[in-house]
Amino acid sequence: MILDNRGLEPPQPMMRTLTALAKLKKGEALKIINDRRPMFLFEQLDDLGYTYQTQKRSDGSYEITIEKKDDDDDG
């Protein structure tokens, strides 16, 4: 699933992303595209146990792939 957050003012991109993530199942991924690097979102993702990879695109926007970790990995 891809969520294009470009053109939105904060905190809309983060709120849209967190809403979409709440619907993700374990092992599924969400790809978001933001105008800027979502520093506050990263803190939330860490707290909620998601993994993510960030890539700066040629147009200056950021593409972040977020995956829900499998809770069974903890033992």
Side-chain angles (χ1 to χ4, degrees):
M1 180 170 153
I2 297 176
L3 188 60
D4 190 343
N5 291 324
R6 292 175 288 184
L8 300 175
E9 291 297 318
Q12 291 178 25
M14 185 163 91
M15 299 310 293
R16 288 182 77 212
T17 300
L18 292 174
T19 298
L21 287 173
K23 300 173 185 172
L24 257 134
K25 295 182 177 129
K26 292 175 188 159
E28 291 183 335
L30 171 68
K31 186 175 289 191
I32 64 169
I33 304 170
N34 284 19
D35 290 321
R36 54 188 73 77
R37 197 165 189 264
M39 298 307 297
F40 295 113
L41 175 64
F42 294 149
E43 293 173 15
Q44 288 286 323
L45 295 176
D46 289 338
D47 289 346
L48 294 170
Y50 288 92
T51 59
Y52 52 91
Q53 294 182 330
T54 306
Q55 180 178 359
K56 188 169 184 177
R57 296 163 49 119
S58 60
D59 65 358
S61 64
Y62 286 84
E63 182 176 296
I64 300 97
T65 303
I66 306 165
E67 190 172 346
K68 186 164 187 161
K69 284 196 261 185
D70 187 352
D71 292 337
D72 294 338
D73 288 345
D74 294 337

